[in-house]
Amino acid sequence: KQWYQRRVRANNLSMSIAEIVFVLGPPGAGKGTQCTRIKDNFGYIHLSAGDLLRAEQAAGSEDGELIADFIKNGKIVPIEITIRLLEKAIVSAGATKVLIDGFPRNKENLEGWEKEMVDSGKMKTKFMLYFGCDEEECLRRALGRNQNRADDNVDSFKKRIATYTSSTVPVLNEFESRGLLRKIDANGSPDQVWDLTQKLFLEEGDVPQLTNFPALPTPLDALPPQNAASLPPQDTSSVDPTTLDSISAPALPLTSSEAPSEFPAQHPIIRDHNESVVLMLGDQEVPQGQIVEYGGLLSLCNIL
């Protein structure tokens, strides 16, 4: 039965059409950092074409031997191999929402992908996400990240920028002509860039994954009704009748009107922050589309 379930699941996944967001940006733009946050918050899987090629080469597979041979002879790895590895990773993960980082790097990559994946109906392109960053800022980040990369020096970095620009700008222009280019200013801090990125994905219709948003106590109005008849009986057999007045019955739950004034607010409050409407739960801001736990129930914040 388990084998059958796995087989059925694999067949179903192979028929799923994955929605692809391509991610490009100059070296040092912080693509990896933002892709990790997108993956964690919006349920995408994150694939790097370069990482897949290196992993396949290290595995010593038939494709891996071909990759090693091309690299050894200073040749570009055929696009068919890269596409095959990407498709394999997507299907194996059962993914329907995918970030592909660092691809397509040129028009040939794009044309090969669309011929094999899009025209065949296997994949659907959602948009191209481009993280734009000034060369000086990219250089500062690259030289300061201390990852012991041989190409993280001024001369090598500038060559990488020049190569990147000449090969990828035509790809960006193609996506822009189709209305599928989304640009993010990546010159700010990682948190500032994430604010822009998160807003973009919400606008594109993505729903955030359930997060560890702090759970709030059950609202008083949601507590089950209780009366004296439903209270558990107390054992008074060994108590002197003259002292019964000292026995404390279990306290009934307070109603909302009886709650002390310092009791924390339990109900959502809508506030306008510079014309951007947000939902307030206590002192926590909840963005549009966020899933939160409220009163023991999972709720989607949908401000109309």
Side-chain angles (χ1 to χ4, degrees):
K1 181 179 179 181
Q2 290 179 346
W3 173 87
Y4 174 78
Q5 289 175 337
R6 288 197 298 268
R7 182 67 178 271
V8 170
R9 182 174 182 270
N11 289 340
N12 288 339
L13 293 177
S14 66
M15 294 186 291
S16 300
I17 298 178
E19 198 168 50
I20 309 298
V21 173
F22 296 111
V23 184
L24 289 179
K31 300 187 302 296
T33 298
Q34 299 305 320
C35 282
T36 298
R37 293 191 176 190
I38 297 168
K39 172 179 68 71
D40 292 342
N41 286 273
F42 290 101
Y44 283 77
I45 69 165
H46 175 207
L47 299 177
S48 165
D51 288 348
L52 289 175
L53 289 170
R54 286 186 285 272
E56 194 70 17
Q57 182 182 354
S61 65
E62 182 179 348
D63 277 344
E65 293 176 0
L66 288 173
I67 294 168
D69 187 59
F70 276 102
I71 293 176
K72 179 180 179 181
N73 292 286
K75 298 179 180 180
I76 298 175
V77 177
I79 184 60
E80 292 81 9
I81 293 179
T82 304
I83 291 174
R84 187 157 60 242
L85 294 178
L86 286 167
E87 181 183 15
K88 179 181 177 182
I90 293 169
V91 174
S92 297
T96 57
K97 298 169 63 176
V98 185
L99 300 171
I100 299 184
D101 181 1
F103 183 90
R105 297 293 293 269
N106 53 46
K107 289 291 289 291
E108 181 186 1
N109 285 177
L110 177 58
E111 292 168 359
W113 173 268
E114 293 191 328
K115 178 181 177 181
E116 295 294 328
M117 296 290 106
V118 179
D119 294 345
S120 64
K122 295 179 181 178
M123 310 285 172
K124 177 183 177 182
T125 302
K126 188 170 185 178
F127 56 82
M128 164 66 76
L129 178 60
Y130 176 68
F131 290 100
C133 191
D134 297 339
E135 181 174 337
E136 295 77 11
E137 177 62 19
C138 288
L139 177 60
R140 184 189 67 79
R141 294 175 183 177
L143 297 180
R145 61 188 174 188
N146 193 28
Q147 293 181 344
N148 297 319
R149 289 182 53 163
D151 54 358
D152 277 352
N153 60 68
V154 176
D155 291 338
S156 295
F157 183 83
K158 289 186 175 181
K159 290 178 181 178
R160 290 168 61 201
I161 287 286
T163 300
Y164 164 82
T165 301
S166 63
S167 62
T168 58
V169 166
V171 176
L172 299 178
N173 290 339
E174 176 64 26
F175 276 95
E176 187 168 31
S177 70
R178 302 179 187 181
L180 295 177
L181 180 63
R182 308 290 184 267
K183 296 181 179 180
I184 295 291
D185 182 355
N187 285 287
S189 68
D191 286 343
Q192 290 171 330
V193 177
W194 171 241
D195 286 343
L196 298 174
T197 304
Q198 180 177 229
K199 179 181 179 182
L200 170 65
F201 275 81
L202 290 172
E203 291 173 348
E204 292 290 336
D206 284 285
V207 177
Q209 299 293 292
L210 180 63
T211 62
N212 295 323
F213 195 90
L216 295 176
T218 303
L220 292 178
D221 291 341
L223 290 173
Q226 195 173 27
N227 53 51
S230 66
L231 296 177
Q234 295 194 50
D235 182 9
T236 60
S237 59
S238 60
V239 179
D240 184 344
T242 61
T243 63
L244 284 179
D245 289 342
S246 65
I247 298 176
S248 299
L252 295 176
L254 294 174
T255 64
S256 296
S257 60
E258 296 171 331
S261 58
E262 65 271 14
F263 196 89
Q266 299 294 321
H267 297 284
I269 301 173
I270 301 295
R271 291 184 180 171
D272 185 344
H273 286 187
N274 298 324
E275 300 181 356
S276 176
V277 177
V278 298
L279 182 69
M280 302 295 297
L281 289 178
D283 60 352
Q284 300 287 335
E285 292 187 6
V286 183
Q288 173 81 346
Q290 175 70 60
I291 299 175
V292 298
E293 183 177 350
Y294 175 67
L297 299 174
L298 297 181
S299 303
L300 176 65
C301 177
N302 187 20
I303 303 172
L304 303 177

